[in-house]
Amino acid sequence: MMCYCRLFVLLALSSFVVESRHLKGNSYELSNFHPSGTNATIEPKIWAVLVAGSNGFVNYRHQADICHAYQILKNGGLEDENIIVFMYDDIAFDVENLRPGVIINKPDGDNVYKGVPKDYTGEDVNVDNLLAAILGNKTGVRGGSGKVVESGPNDHIFIYYADHGGAGILGMPSGVDLTAKDLMNTLKKKHAAKSYKSMVIYVEACESGSIFEGLLPKNMNIYAITAANANESSWGTYCPGEFPSPPSDLDTCLGDLFSISWMEDSDIHDLRKETLDQQYQLVRRRTAVDDMVGASHVMQYGNKTIAKQFVFNYMGANPKNDYYSPSSSDDSSLTTTPSIVSQHDATLLHFWNKFRNAPEGSPKKTEAHKQLMDELSLRKHIDESVNQIISVVFGQEKVPEMLNTVQSAGNPLVHDWDCFKMLVNSFKRLCGSTSRYEMKYSRAFANMCNAGVHINNATQAITQACSTSSPP
């Protein structure tokens, strides 16, 4: 009788351990299990926050990136209750999407939109909700699913952001943009609350290094990777007319180079055996910064010892990749760099291809031509407005200095973040656009604040410049 009891207990424990493999992010590793129930320890949960900071079909690639990331986490074993998704959700069924309900992140890719949670969409994708969600502040979110990061001191957190950026800011489709200082203050509060063990942040945006440069301490157990350093563009890829191109019915870029590099790596590698540093090195090489004119430098910030950990700790691992071999034929694609387009120019490329492909003399041709001309006119207006703002406040002779001054490495972008926040968000509100072209000038506003500009004078100059001869 005793033998049967022992056999039953062993079978039960075996079943429990096997089942723990499928707990999907709630407890991805089991240790110190005691049948008596005393001193039982379940290893940390993985929490993830995925943020697409743009809207509009022209920015298709950002939501495609986020949807792809969700599929990796889901295949890696995370539950939806541990994945919080911020995306405007306006491209899957946009009239320009001839594949309703389908979003792809590479030319021959699967539908990454399927099953993605709609936690925060539309106007609910905003700074206040994002920061409240990271902090685990349920009373601080307005609208959406109300889901927040309810992490504990042993948990791991993964945050991934994809969108347009500028020096010191990350774009958001609703309300104000997110400044580096506001993000950093939130991370410091999260750390002070002892509500995570370690955190990894991936940021896809132009000048994304400026979000952490001189700001992210090494003692907060946070490791950040950015698509670019503090002074350069990041890059769209799988764009119309480039190689490889999207399907002919999609006149827009499907992804971003940094993002598709780490995700296509995660799609096939056994993340239980690949470290964060190994993934960083692969992504850095794939951006081919040494071989491509204008390419960006993928950067690391914060506690770099975290890079020695396995990617699995933050994204889970797809069991289908357990037998991955470096000699696999799929691996060759990870060393090939596709053609790239500057984030600032992806919108122009979209409108140009719409115009080029529309039938001659058709209403579509006329509409596409108008969209292209409107975008060019808007860009000219923004260029002239910034020049006028600086000239009014500092004098014409100071324009080159305000536009081109760059902080030395290791120093934060700006000293007075309140001044910077006021100016960049005033400029967004009065001169902004879906293409977010205006974000390329955030450094100029940082330099104005560093030069001691009077905020009232600057905001008055912004109001006057943006309202003068504004484009249609």
Side-chain angles (χ1 to χ4, degrees):
M1 182 66 177
M2 184 62 68
C3 292
Y4 286 113
C5 290
R6 288 177 179 172
L7 179 60
F8 176 78
V9 170
L10 288 172
L11 288 173
L13 287 177
S14 299
S15 175
F16 186 86
V17 172
V18 170
E19 184 63 23
S20 71
R21 166 83 178 192
H22 303 286
L23 288 177
K24 298 185 177 180
N26 288 330
S27 53
Y28 57 86
E29 182 178 326
L30 188 65
S31 68
N32 299 325
F33 175 75
H34 294 274
S36 64
T38 60
N39 299 319
T41 301
I42 302 255
E43 288 297 315
K45 297 178 183 178
I46 304 173
W47 293 85
V49 181
L50 309 178
V51 188
S54 66
N55 60 347
F57 195 76
V58 68
N59 293 313
Y60 180 106
R61 61 196 182 279
H62 302 134
Q63 292 185 56
D65 290 337
I66 292 304
C67 289
H68 188 175
Y70 166 79
Q71 302 300 338
I72 291 170
L73 299 178
K74 190 68 174 177
N75 290 334
L78 275 71
E79 291 277 16
D80 283 352
E81 66 187 34
N82 293 93
I83 307 172
I84 304 170
V85 180
F86 287 79
M87 58 181 284
Y88 209 84
D89 195 27
D90 60 340
I91 66 169
F93 294 96
D94 188 282
V95 293
E96 291 192 61
N97 189 356
L98 301 183
R99 306 175 180 199
V102 175
I103 297 175
I104 59 175
N105 198 215
K106 61 188 299 184
D108 59 348
D110 295 329
N111 179 15
V112 293
Y113 184 68
K114 184 178 180 180
V116 177
K118 311 300 191 301
D119 291 312
Y120 297 92
T121 61
E123 299 298 308
D124 295 333
V125 183
N126 58 60
V127 169
D128 289 342
N129 279 345
L130 173 59
L131 298 184
I134 292 173
L135 286 174
N137 181 7
K138 283 191 170 184
T139 62
V141 295
R142 297 289 183 271
S145 67
K147 196 190 300 181
V148 298
V149 178
E150 300 180 82
S151 54
N154 293 320
D155 292 349
H156 295 313
I157 300 174
F158 174 60
I159 298 175
Y160 168 49
Y161 171 95
D163 183 32
H164 297 284
I169 55 173
L170 298 175
M172 294 296 280
S174 308
V176 300
D177 287 331
L178 176 61
T179 67
K181 189 64 172 181
D182 284 346
L183 175 61
M184 209 55 53
N185 287 341
T186 297
L187 297 178
K188 288 178 179 179
K189 289 179 183 177
K190 190 75 173 174
H191 180 257
K194 295 179 170 56
S195 57
Y196 67 92
K197 183 175 183 180
S198 57
M199 183 185 303
V200 168
I201 305 175
Y202 284 12
V203 179
E204 172 74 67
C206 293
E207 299 173 288
S208 44
S210 65
I211 302 301
F212 304 105
E213 186 85 31
L215 294 172
L216 180 61
K218 296 180 180 179
N219 63 354
M220 287 172 53
N221 285 336
I222 297 175
Y223 171 63
I225 300 180
T226 63
N229 67 23
N231 312 311
E232 62 194 5
S233 176
S234 64
W235 301 85
T237 194
Y238 300 145
C239 299
E242 304 297 324
F243 180 82
S245 289
S248 59
D249 59 322
L250 289 171
D251 290 321
T252 187
C253 299
L254 302 182
D256 296 289
L257 182 58
F258 165 78
S259 293
I260 62 102
S261 294
W262 76 258
M263 287 190 284
E264 290 177 8
D265 170 70
S266 299
D267 282 335
I268 64 173
H269 276 178
D270 182 354
L271 302 184
R272 293 173 181 267
K273 298 177 181 178
E274 182 179 33
T275 65
L276 289 161
D277 184 66
Q278 287 173 326
Q279 185 166 87
Y280 161 75
Q281 296 295 343
L282 184 147
V283 172
R284 184 187 64 81
R285 289 193 297 270
R286 195 177 181 193
T287 61
V289 67
D290 297 328
D291 304 321
M292 299 168 60
V293 176
S296 59
H297 299 74
V298 178
M299 303 293 290
Q300 303 176 90
Y301 298 93
N303 184 352
K304 296 180 185 178
T305 62
I306 293 175
K308 298 178 182 178
Q309 297 182 23
F310 293 115
V311 180
F312 160 74
N313 289 341
Y314 301 90
M315 303 181 198
N318 189 340
K320 292 182 179 179
N321 299 336
D322 283 355
Y323 301 102
Y324 165 80
S325 169
S327 62
S328 299
S329 58
D330 288 341
D331 199 47
S332 62
S333 64
L334 301 181
T335 61
T336 302
T337 302
S339 299
I340 57 175
V341 174
S342 167
Q343 293 273 17
H344 294 306
D345 294 331
T347 299
L348 281 179
L349 181 64
H350 168 70
F351 289 135
W352 164 246
N353 274 279
K354 284 184 65 177
F355 172 72
R356 184 183 64 176
N357 295 331
E360 288 294 335
S362 68
K364 286 186 177 181
K365 192 82 165 181
T366 302
E367 175 62 20
H369 181 263
K370 181 181 184 303
Q371 289 176 322
L372 179 60
M373 291 300 103
D374 285 351
E375 179 64 22
L376 290 170
S377 177
L378 174 66
R379 289 174 179 234
K380 180 181 178 183
H381 173 65
I382 290 173
D383 293 341
E384 293 174 347
S385 294
V386 172
N387 191 302
Q388 179 181 331
I389 292 163
I390 298 172
S391 297
V392 167
V393 178
F394 289 102
Q396 180 65 35
E397 69 279 4
K398 288 288 186 179
V399 171
E401 178 183 338
M402 293 297 113
L403 291 178
N404 300 317
T405 297
V406 175
Q407 293 292 320
S408 56
N411 291 316
L413 171 75
V414 65
H415 309 302
D416 186 346
W417 285 94
D418 290 334
C419 169
F420 175 73
K421 183 176 180 178
M422 176 67 74
L423 298 193
V424 294
N425 283 311
S426 294
F427 193 61
K428 175 186 179 181
R429 178 170 53 85
L430 297 168
C431 261
S433 65
T434 302
S435 70
R436 301 312 313 273
Y437 177 77
E438 75 278 0
M439 296 182 81
K440 69 179 290 186
Y441 288 112
S442 61
R443 184 176 304 280
F445 293 112
N447 289 332
M448 291 169 66
C449 292
N450 288 337
V453 68
H454 193 286
I455 294 178
N456 287 340
N457 292 344
T459 54
Q460 288 175 9
I462 290 171
T463 301
Q464 180 181 4
C466 290
S467 61
T468 302
S469 302
S470 58

